[in-house]
Amino acid sequence: MAQVKIYTTSTCVYCRGAKEYFEEKEVDYEEINLSEHPDRIQEMIQISGQMGVPVILIDGKIVIGFNRGAINEALGM
């Protein structure tokens, strides 16, 4: 099973879509909600070079935004 981590905010519709997609595909993920953990924002920026969410890490591969194709490729689907 792939290790998946997703950086989100509470108001991000693309983050919600990505989480629903993972649930639909029965992929376990760790969510870091930056609205609740603003101290982790710099961590996300260092990893991705991005300030926008979602930022998704799948086994160390970075996917910026809710990109089904890139997610599926990183998951080997």
Side-chain angles (χ1 to χ4, degrees), residues 56-63 73-75:
I56 304 166
L57 296 173
I58 302 173
D59 287 338
K61 297 175 188 152
I62 299 170
V63 177
E73 183 177 324
L75 289 170

Side-chain angles (χ1 to χ4, degrees), residues 10 17 28 34-35 41 51-52 59 69 77:
S10 300
D28 291 330
L34 300 174
S35 301
I41 293 171
M51 292 185 64
D59 287 338
M77 299 178 122

Side-chain angles (χ1 to χ4, degrees), residues 7 32-44:
Y7 293 87
I32 296 108
N33 186 322
L34 300 174
S35 301
E36 298 170 6
H37 302 282
D39 56 307
R40 308 274 308 261
I41 293 171
Q42 283 303 316
E43 171 186 319
M44 181 196 73

Side-chain angles (χ1 to χ4, degrees), residues 5-73:
K5 183 185 291 189
I6 179 171
Y7 293 87
T8 66
T9 61
S10 300
T11 58
C12 171
V13 295
Y14 299 107
C15 300
R16 197 167 323 133
K19 293 186 297 182
E20 288 171 2
Y21 187 70
F22 288 136
E23 289 164 15
E24 175 186 309
K25 297 291 184 184
E26 298 180 354
V27 173
D28 291 330
Y29 62 90
E30 174 190 356
E31 178 181 8
I32 296 108
N33 186 322
L34 300 174
S35 301
E36 298 170 6
H37 302 282
D39 56 307
R40 308 274 308 261
I41 293 171
Q42 283 303 316
E43 171 186 319
M44 181 196 73
I45 293 170
Q46 283 184 321
I47 290 168
S48 67
Q50 301 289 316
M51 292 185 64
V53 290
V55 169
I56 304 166
L57 296 173
I58 302 173
D59 287 338
K61 297 175 188 152
I62 299 170
V63 177
I64 306 298
F66 178 32
N67 180 329
R68 283 184 183 94
I71 290 169
N72 289 342
E73 183 177 324

